[in-house]
Amino acid sequence: MIHLAGICRTYQVGDQPVRALVDVDEEIREGEHVAIMGPSGSGKSTLLNVIGCLDRPTAGSYTLGGREVGGLDDSALTQVRRHEIGFVFQFFHLIPRLSAAENVELPMVFAGVPRRERRQRAAAAIAAVGLEERAAHLPEQLSGGERQRVAMARATIMRPALLLADEPTGNLDSKSGNAVLEMLDELSDNGLTLLVVTHNPKVAQRADRILFLVDGRIAKRVAGDQV
Amino acid sequence: MIHLAGICRTYQVGDQPVRALVDVDEEIREGEHVAIMGPSGSGKSTLLNVIGCLDRPTAGSYTLGGREVGGLDDSALTQVRRHEIGFVFQFFHLIPRLSAAENVELPMVFAGVPRRERRQRAAAAIAAVGLEERAAHLPEQLSGGERQRVAMARATIMRPALLLADEPTGNLDSKSGNAVLEMLDELSDNGLTLLVVTHNPKVAQRADRILFLVDGRIAKRVAGDQV
Ligand SMILES: Nc1ncnc2c1ncn2[C@@H]1O[C@H](COP(=O)(O)OP(=O)(O)OP(=O)(O)O)[C@@H](O)[C@H]1O
Ligand SMILES: Nc1ncnc2c1ncn2[C@@H]1O[C@H](COP(=O)(O)OP(=O)(O)OP(=O)(O)O)[C@@H](O)[C@H]1O
Ligand SMILES: [Mg+2]
Ligand SMILES: [Mg+2]
């Protein structure tokens, strides 16, 4: 489903190039559950942003579902992103002026889902992450872990074919973290392709396999039960 | 050094009160290293904000270094905060238009430290968290864990008497996380009073003792080696 060949991403800071991704070759099949680990600054979020069509590689080719993504213009890229990919960002990116429930409804608004159905589905998703009593809160009226759970509910509400999660349990205690991971496992069992960036070996162990990034390169690949 | 008596903090969301802290009584002695754990939404960040003079309790009294803090007006509170307390926020709050080095310099600017000394001390602090090559980057040009480390360097640059850290290693791999924790241990050994909110038992174990919050109350207190 995902085919990366020679992917590079270089940032420019003043006159200094920052080589965030270097020659990344990888194939991820439909329905796979892959974890991405590596030191802080090794390129994990950058890799996820490229795969999630939020960022274009500086070089190399990215084929998603058989289609060469690098060749798409911005509006086509936006379509792919909205319809096929769910994203849990490292720092959530909730809309400040929308409540938790309205944030979860947002992808459905874009997809033209009727209002009554949106309300029901958002309420169910919010309950699934244990936040019924916080549905009306704005993001700044939520704790860190509550915002993270809202981001998870929003990313999964359209049952996307591909879900990218950047440190989805980083702000969660073990109980709410496990609830989120079980939710992800269930989606994965139902055919979702799942990529999870994590620093937590317990989270990585649930994957079929793990990619280790070091200085922008894939340094190592292991099976899930070997971490 | 810190004396909390009957501390309550209630938020109002529409017509719903949210009791984030309920009757918190606690004493923290100078030089103690205390960890704060508890489920997502249990009031940990709220407690830290009250102790850090960023938020006022709805009820109860807070005595810091012998002085009743609740009676201070905003400008006096700001003075206390700037001169005596270092804070690592759950989501960092770096100034977007300032580079990593400039963010670290900021407390020294407020304290009137001369420019040359500021530059030297900021460079040393940035090197101590392994970010020499990222000193000129803006926050949006940094990875999540890099921003977290800049926040740590900024919070400790004035060697405050009290340091409050809200999930200081949540975005860090074990290597950079351990580097940060060793830095905190060293400050603690030198007399710093240290409060750390964490979901990670390994981080909590380094404390002298641990407070467990549940629904805004201190539900349990244990010694550091018992978690
Ligand atoms: N500004 C606010 N207005 C209303 N409710 C709030 C506000 N800030 C926090 N809350 C609520 O108060 C409760 C405690 O929040 P707090 O941020 O202290 O939790 P926490 O223990 O730090 O959680 P986490 O582990 O998820 O970071 C949460 O249930 C949250 O929804
Ligand atoms: N917009 C940008 N401009 C310049 N450099 C950047 C930019 N974004 C990220 N970087 C740099 O690229 C490198 C990779 O960043 P990335 O966010 O992918 O790391 P990461 O593996 O997610 O780290 P963490 O575990 O800390 O979240 C980092 O060293 C970072 O400083
Ligand atoms: Mg990252
Ligand atoms: Mg918090």
Side-chain angles (χ1 to χ4, degrees), chain B residues 172-218:
Chain B
L172 300 178
D173 57 289
S174 51
K175 184 157 170 282
S176 28
N178 281 333
V180 161
L181 294 176
E182 284 174 15
M183 209 176 100
L184 290 179
D185 280 354
E186 188 189 349
L187 289 167
S188 175
D189 291 344
N190 286 330
L192 173 80
T193 306
L194 176 59
L195 269 69
V196 179
V197 168
T198 183
H199 285 303
N200 187 340
K202 290 215 178 104
V203 173
Q205 275 165 6
R206 303 172 82 120
D208 301 320
R209 58 194 182 92
I210 305 169
L211 312 177
F212 286 87
L213 281 177
V214 178
D215 294 332
R217 293 176 188 274
I218 299 182

Side-chain angles (χ1 to χ4, degrees), chain A residues 202-214:
Chain A
K202 289 215 179 104
V203 173
Q205 276 165 5
R206 304 173 81 123
D208 301 319
R209 60 195 181 90
I210 304 168
L211 311 177
F212 286 86
L213 281 177
V214 177

Side-chain angles (χ1 to χ4, degrees), chain A residues 44-45 90 166-167, chain B residues 143-144:
Chain A
K44 305 180 297 297
S45 296
Q90 192 167 1
D166 201 341
E167 318 255 9
Chain B
S143 77

Side-chain angles (χ1 to χ4, degrees), chain A:
Chain A
M1 167 195 246
I2 289 174
H3 194 85
L4 305 169
I7 291 288
C8 297
R9 177 64 169 103
T10 301
Y11 298 108
Q12 199 68 27
V13 178
D15 55 3
Q16 280 296 101
V18 178
R19 304 189 68 199
L21 292 176
V22 183
D23 284 336
V24 171
D25 298 322
E26 191 61 33
E27 204 161 309
I28 295 170
R29 293 186 302 281
E30 216 176 294
E32 269 204 290
H33 175 173
V34 178
I36 301 169
M37 301 188 85
S40 171
S42 56
K44 305 180 297 297
S45 296
T46 302
L47 179 59
L48 226 61
N49 288 341
V50 168
I51 292 174
C53 298
L54 286 154
D55 190 17
R56 290 176 190 279
T58 322
S61 99
Y62 170 26
T63 308
L64 173 66
R67 185 182 16 171
E68 169 60 52
V69 155
L72 301 181
D73 64 24
D74 281 358
S75 94
L77 215 57
T78 302
Q79 287 308 309
V80 170
R81 219 162 49 226
R82 282 191 178 166
H83 292 141
E84 305 182 27
I85 304 173
F87 211 122
V88 185
F89 295 92
Q90 192 167 1
F91 299 109
F92 323 149
H93 298 194
L94 300 180
I95 309 289
R97 293 195 191 179
L98 299 183
S99 70
E102 288 164 341
N103 266 283
V104 173
E105 282 190 44
L106 208 50
M108 293 187 279
V109 173
F110 287 134
V113 175
R115 193 178 181 193
R116 179 194 286 238
E117 181 184 343
R118 287 199 322 253
R119 293 275 160 95
Q120 288 173 352
R121 285 169 60 180
I126 287 211
V129 292
L131 289 175
E132 306 92 313
E133 294 180 17
R134 297 288 180 263
H137 284 225
L138 295 175
E140 62 153 6
Q141 296 171 323
L142 295 171
S143 77
E146 290 168 346
R147 288 176 211 173
Q148 192 155 32
R149 285 181 273 160
V150 172
M152 177 61 66
R154 178 183 65 177
T156 50
I157 194 78
M158 292 296 295
R159 304 203 149 265
L162 172 64
L163 180 67
L164 309 177
D166 201 341
E167 318 255 9
T169 60
N171 281 283
L172 299 178
D173 57 289
S174 51
K175 183 156 171 282
S176 26
N178 282 331
V180 161
L181 295 176
E182 284 175 14
M183 209 175 99
L184 290 178
D185 280 353
E186 187 189 350
L187 290 166
S188 173
D189 292 345
N190 286 330
L192 172 80
T193 306
L194 177 59
L195 269 68
V196 179
V197 167
T198 183
H199 285 304
N200 187 340
K202 289 215 179 104
V203 173
Q205 276 165 5
R206 304 173 81 123
D208 301 319
R209 60 195 181 90
I210 304 168
L211 311 177
F212 286 86
L213 281 177
V214 177
D215 294 330
R217 294 176 189 274
I218 297 183
K220 189 168 68 157
R221 296 168 175 84
V222 306
D225 49 22
Q226 288 179 18
V227 79

